[in-house]
Amino acid sequence: MLCSTVHVNASSPYDVLIAGGLLGKIGSLIKSALDPLPRQVGIVCDENVGALFFDKVSSALNSNGIEAFRVDVPCGEYAKRLSVVERIYDALASHSVSRSDALIALGGGSAGDAAGFAAATYLRGIRLVQAPTTLLAQIDSSIGGKTAVDCDFGKNLVGAFHQPSLVVSDTDALSSLDARNIRSGLGEAVKYGCIADPALFDSLSDVKDINKLVSECAAIKARYVEADERDMGVRRELNFGHTIGHAVEAASGFELLHGEAVAIGMAAAARLGEKLGITERGTSERIERLLINTGLDPSVKYRSEAKSYIAHDKKYSNGYVDMVFLERIGSAVIKRVSVGTIITEVL
Ligand code: GLY
């Protein structure tokens, strides 16, 4: 098995392992990476992911002397509620999980965020292994230690930084995804090309090797995390496409998948950047062409709902937002713009 390893030199360093077939080996991988070896782990997953992968993961753990139990969470964004995290705590407590045990987040970004927040806070922190099974989670959310839940006052506004001890990205798991989910993940890959890597950007019009793609994106993410683990500076470039993307995503009532919304946000940010003289002319056209080629639709949708969402977003209450623009493909810059400008020029 050819396995790529991306090392993340964060405050507590860890490896991201990328290859097909890794979930069936997760017991021995944890044995090599986690010292002391956990006696037991809780596996947080939703019912779809659980049906596909729980047995494989738990038997790989059992055969390495690690007991496993399953903690079910709702599918998608519904996993990211404090009430769900409380249910995870209850499951951990009922199995007498101690600080030398661990939690595995098995699934997409939402399960990862909820499991991560539970791991960050249960007993003031237990170890977390991320086992992402979506493209979006493999290239982004499983790396870098961001964990969060949604509250009535906003999405992702309660959370903690809690770096995983290991990330196990089994690219065979991606074959369980439908084409729409893969396209959504590709939206985030386009983002990495836009902000950091023109060669990656060019290669995305014809992806031949998914392991290579996941490894390249993971390596870019690792560099950002190492440079700015607490998200106070350059890591914020990873939000390219997210200011408008989040507004459109929320305005759609989460009908749009995250990567679909980010695709809209990236094209819109590039067009706005060109209008404001920040972005090299022609950039938005290149991004739109790539997105369409990838099967993503960059045209702005849910305009009026997005307008009121962005105008009332508590994060932007002073009327300004730090937004990521491109100078050109491969080079990002953060500029403060007024919400009014975004609404007038984009929405
Ligand atoms: N997903 C953006 C970040 O981890 O900073």
Side-chain angles (χ1 to χ4, degrees):
M1 172 188 59
L2 260 179
C3 177
S4 302
T5 302
V6 172
H7 186 67
V8 186
N9 202 14
S11 51
S12 60
Y14 55 96
D15 285 338
V16 181
L17 309 178
I18 300 141
L22 290 185
L23 287 179
K25 301 182 170 67
I26 197 167
S28 57
L29 298 173
I30 287 181
K31 209 168 182 176
S32 307
L34 271 68
D35 183 21
L37 188 67
R39 185 182 65 78
Q40 59 173 346
V41 298
I43 300 173
V44 175
C45 56
D46 68 34
E47 59 177 332
N48 299 328
V49 170
L52 288 169
F53 304 119
F54 177 79
D55 288 347
K56 184 187 280 191
V57 170
S58 63
S59 64
L61 292 163
N62 294 162
S63 55
N64 283 276
I66 306 166
E67 285 170 31
F69 61 92
R70 176 167 162 172
V71 187
D72 276 294
V73 295
C75 295
E77 204 68 23
Y78 296 105
K80 294 177 55 175
R81 302 298 301 184
L82 280 172
S83 56
V84 174
V85 171
E86 201 167 355
R87 290 211 317 263
I88 302 175
Y89 296 147
D90 287 341
L92 298 178
S94 72
H95 284 85
S96 305
V97 164
S98 74
R99 293 192 67 198
S100 56
D101 294 325
L103 209 53
I104 295 181
L106 177 65
S110 299
D113 274 3
F117 187 61
T121 46
Y122 179 77
L123 302 181
R124 299 197 182 85
I126 61 172
R127 290 172 297 174
L128 171 71
V129 173
Q130 290 275 7
T133 59
T134 65
L135 182 56
L136 202 117
Q138 291 191 355
I139 67 175
D140 183 19
S141 57
S142 64
I143 306 163
K146 276 191 182 174
T147 76
V149 291
D150 302 335
C151 294
D152 293 343
F153 54 87
K155 187 170 141 60
N156 289 337
L157 292 184
V158 170
F161 286 97
H162 187 61
Q163 298 296 337
S165 302
L166 178 68
V167 181
V168 178
S169 286
D170 182 344
T171 47
D172 285 350
L174 303 178
S175 57
S176 69
L177 302 175
D178 59 22
R180 189 178 170 205
N181 246 288
I182 292 282
R183 284 198 296 270
S184 171
L186 285 174
E188 288 282 349
V190 171
K191 178 193 79 179
Y192 287 120
C194 285
I195 62 172
D197 191 337
L200 171 65
F201 183 92
D202 289 335
S203 76
L204 284 168
S205 51
D206 184 19
V207 176
K208 289 201 169 65
D209 181 346
I210 197 73
N211 288 311
K212 183 165 173 282
L213 173 70
V214 173
S215 304
E216 285 176 358
C217 293
I220 295 173
K221 176 81 189 252
R223 287 210 305 272
Y224 275 101
V225 172
E226 289 168 355
D228 176 24
E229 189 171 331
R230 305 289 291 191
D231 202 24
M232 304 292 279
V234 72
R235 182 169 175 172
R236 294 176 304 153
E237 290 180 6
L238 293 169
N239 291 333
F240 177 58
H242 285 60
T243 304
I244 296 159
H246 272 158
V248 177
E249 185 182 12
S252 79
F254 295 94
E255 282 294 311
L256 286 173
L257 299 180
H258 182 68
E260 293 172 332
V262 168
I264 293 169
M266 290 190 290
R271 283 194 302 272
L272 181 59
E274 287 181 31
K275 268 188 198 161
L276 299 177
I278 301 166
T279 305
E280 189 174 86
R281 291 214 168 275
T283 304
S284 62
E285 202 189 318
R286 284 182 68 193
I287 294 174
E288 284 177 20
R289 212 181 313 128
L290 176 58
L291 291 171
I292 290 167
N293 198 318
T294 311
L296 289 159
D297 176 3
S299 60
V300 180
K301 294 160 203 65
Y302 303 99
R303 278 177 194 275
S304 59
E305 300 91 332
K307 215 177 274 186
S308 75
Y309 177 85
I310 210 161
H312 297 112
D313 191 320
K314 288 193 171 53
K315 289 196 293 273
Y316 315 140
S317 56
N318 63 358
Y320 284 84
V321 54
D322 286 340
M323 185 164 154
V324 186
F325 291 97
L326 299 183
E327 292 174 316
R328 70 196 77 82
I329 299 293
S331 173
V333 63
I334 297 172
K335 301 268 183 197
R336 185 153 290 198
V337 287
S338 77
V339 168
T341 303
I342 297 174
I343 290 176
T344 319
E345 300 291 341
V346 179
L347 296 172

